[in-house]
Amino acid sequence: MTHESHVSVKTGLPPGIPIYIGKQEPNRTTLSAIIYTELDFQIIDNIHPDDLKKIKELQGICWIHITGLQDIDTINSVLSFFSLHPLIAEDIFNTKGRAKIEDFGDSLFIVLDMVLSSSEQWQSQKINIITKDNLLISVAESGDPFENIRVRVTHPNGKFRTYGTDYLMYSLIDSIVDTYFFALEKIEESAEELEERVVHDPKPDIIRDIQTFRHNLIRFKRQVWSLREVIMHLERSDSNILSDSIRIFMRDVYDHVIKISEDLDVHREMAEGIMEIYLSSVSNRTNEIVRVLTVIAVIFIPLTFITGVYGMNFAYLPGINHPLGHLIIFGMMLVITIGMAVVFKFKKWI
């Protein structure tokens, strides 16, 4: 399967046609499931679409996790088996889409960006969450980003399994929001490092790092803004899928997103401050260089005048025939130089 990097490839096609759009080749598609009740749970790995009928017959909440978007047919068969809206498949394979929420009445479809905190570079991946009755389907571009949720589901003494599907959905969303706090820590570390470099060693190449930092802030701000809209919609949603108790949890997540947004505003102001500090440092350094060169030029003005006068082709000049004339002139030039240096030092120009 090839991949397309631009959404324009879908121009003219009817809606609902799934075409993978991403920056790199999609990972291999794998399916796994956890079916759990209050008393028990069952983990099924390497699911084939033919196994869905048996899984559906099992009692309890069914959480199906899909990793990788390489196999369009397999993912389509899963969505079709559970009678999900065809537009969901189109959004799943568009990894460049923005975060969103769609309420189809009997199901909720949520698209969010998860920040990959383990990566040294700034990266994120799309996470798709579909909730319907006792079913939840999560789709990730790569890996298993919800290992911590799996542990909570399988914990023997936990209360996780006493809640419904909406609580599982909330847990996944809360886990995604937590990755933004890791990103904030990296942003804060980068800001402190840049500020330290700007103050102590403002080299010309630091301007590139400042611009990269600002671009990352803008990109992160867009993701947080879309995330904020989704969480706000969930908090205020009147969907039957969400219970009143879960809306309280969603309100707490919304508070976290607000906190992230406020911190980003602070870091954006810090980035502008770092740029101003850099420009001020460069300006101060330039002024210092110009001041030193000006002092040197001013000192040499009278010396140049003296050498110019005694360099003229006149027969009679004071001291020109004196045997120590050159030493007298050099001494006078030295006295003028020292005198001007003392004056400049007294006025704190050097």
Side-chain angles (χ1 to χ4, degrees):
M1 172 184 175
T2 59
H3 72 285
E4 301 289 345
S5 58
H6 299 288
V7 184
S8 58
V9 70
K10 301 175 66 175
T11 302
L13 296 178
I17 301 298
I19 298 177
Y20 176 78
I21 299 174
K23 296 181 180 180
Q24 56 188 8
E25 289 287 346
N27 292 342
R28 185 176 66 89
T29 302
T30 59
L31 280 70
S32 61
I34 296 181
I35 299 92
Y36 64 90
T37 63
E38 185 176 350
L39 301 177
D40 198 8
F41 69 90
Q42 182 177 355
I43 299 177
I44 306 175
D45 295 321
N46 300 321
I47 298 175
H48 190 272
D50 296 337
D51 302 328
L52 294 176
K53 186 175 180 180
K54 296 179 181 179
I55 293 176
K56 189 176 182 180
E57 294 174 352
L58 297 175
Q59 297 294 323
I61 295 175
C62 178
W63 174 19
I64 297 177
H65 180 69
I66 302 175
T67 298
L69 304 177
Q70 188 179 78
D71 195 339
I72 293 180
D73 293 335
T74 296
I75 298 177
N76 264 338
S77 63
V78 174
L79 301 179
S80 299
F81 180 82
F82 291 106
S83 302
L84 297 172
H85 199 282
L87 288 178
I88 292 179
E90 181 182 6
D91 289 329
I92 286 177
F93 289 100
N94 180 14
T95 63
K96 288 191 172 183
R98 67 190 298 269
K100 58 182 289 189
I101 177 172
E102 294 286 350
D103 189 348
F104 295 104
D106 63 337
S107 62
L108 283 176
F109 174 56
I110 302 172
V111 181
L112 295 175
D113 291 292
M114 170 177 276
V115 179
L116 302 179
S117 56
S118 59
S119 175
E120 293 184 359
Q121 298 181 349
W122 185 270
Q123 293 183 1
S124 62
Q125 68 164 322
K126 282 286 184 297
I127 302 294
N128 304 273
I129 301 173
I130 309 160
T131 308
K132 180 180 181 181
D133 298 329
N134 288 330
L135 170 71
L136 187 142
I137 300 176
S138 57
V139 185
E141 295 181 52
S142 62
D144 185 4
F146 302 120
E147 181 64 29
N148 58 328
I149 307 298
R150 292 177 179 271
V151 173
R152 293 172 60 188
V153 171
T154 58
H155 196 280
N157 298 323
K159 296 182 179 180
F160 193 99
R161 298 200 299 266
T162 61
Y163 295 99
T165 313
D166 53 353
Y167 184 79
L168 174 60
M169 179 186 67
Y170 150 75
S171 300
L172 300 185
I173 295 174
D174 184 58
S175 179
I176 293 173
V177 172
D178 286 344
T179 62
Y180 284 72
F181 286 103
F182 292 117
L184 275 178
E185 292 179 1
K186 285 190 173 183
I187 288 176
E188 186 174 356
E189 292 174 359
S190 299
E192 292 176 354
E193 179 185 355
L194 285 175
E195 191 172 17
E196 187 76 14
R197 290 170 58 190
V198 164
V199 171
H200 295 93
D201 191 17
K203 293 182 179 179
D205 60 348
I206 198 175
I207 190 69
R208 181 180 64 253
D209 297 333
I210 295 176
Q211 286 299 104
T212 301
F213 178 71
R214 296 178 68 180
H215 290 163
N216 287 337
L217 276 180
I218 294 174
R219 178 180 163 193
F220 192 41
K221 181 66 176 179
R222 289 175 180 172
Q223 291 182 343
V224 172
W225 186 258
S226 299
L227 176 66
R228 179 177 177 177
E229 290 182 351
V230 172
I231 304 302
M232 182 174 63
H233 189 284
L234 277 172
E235 180 195 359
R236 301 176 180 178
S237 174
D238 57 355
S239 174
N240 295 327
I241 296 178
L242 288 172
S243 61
D244 292 337
S245 60
I246 298 303
R247 287 190 177 89
I248 297 176
F249 288 108
M250 286 298 176
R251 191 176 305 123
D252 181 67
V253 175
Y254 182 71
D255 291 339
H256 292 168
V257 177
I258 294 296
K259 177 66 167 58
I260 294 171
S261 181
E262 292 175 349
D263 288 348
L264 271 182
D265 291 336
V266 173
H267 290 305
R268 184 178 60 182
E269 295 177 0
M270 185 180 296
E272 295 175 356
I274 291 174
M275 179 63 75
E276 293 177 358
I277 292 174
Y278 171 76
L279 295 177
S280 298
S281 300
V282 173
S283 178
N284 292 337
R285 188 174 182 182
T286 302
N287 292 339
E288 183 68 23
I289 294 174
V290 171
R291 184 178 65 174
V292 172
L293 294 178
T294 303
V295 169
I296 295 174
V298 170
I299 290 176
F300 271 89
I301 287 176
L303 305 184
T304 305
F305 173 76
I306 295 173
T307 55
V309 169
Y310 279 88
M312 293 186 294
N313 192 18
F314 290 154
Y316 300 101
L317 284 173
I320 194 170
N321 295 319
H322 196 283
L324 299 177
H326 64 288
L327 295 178
I328 295 173
I329 296 300
F330 289 154
M332 184 171 55
M333 294 172 66
L334 181 61
V335 169
I336 292 175
T337 302
I338 295 175
M340 295 183 69
V342 171
V343 172
F344 292 158
K345 187 68 175 179
F346 178 76
K347 292 184 174 291
K348 297 182 179 180
W349 292 350
I350 58 174

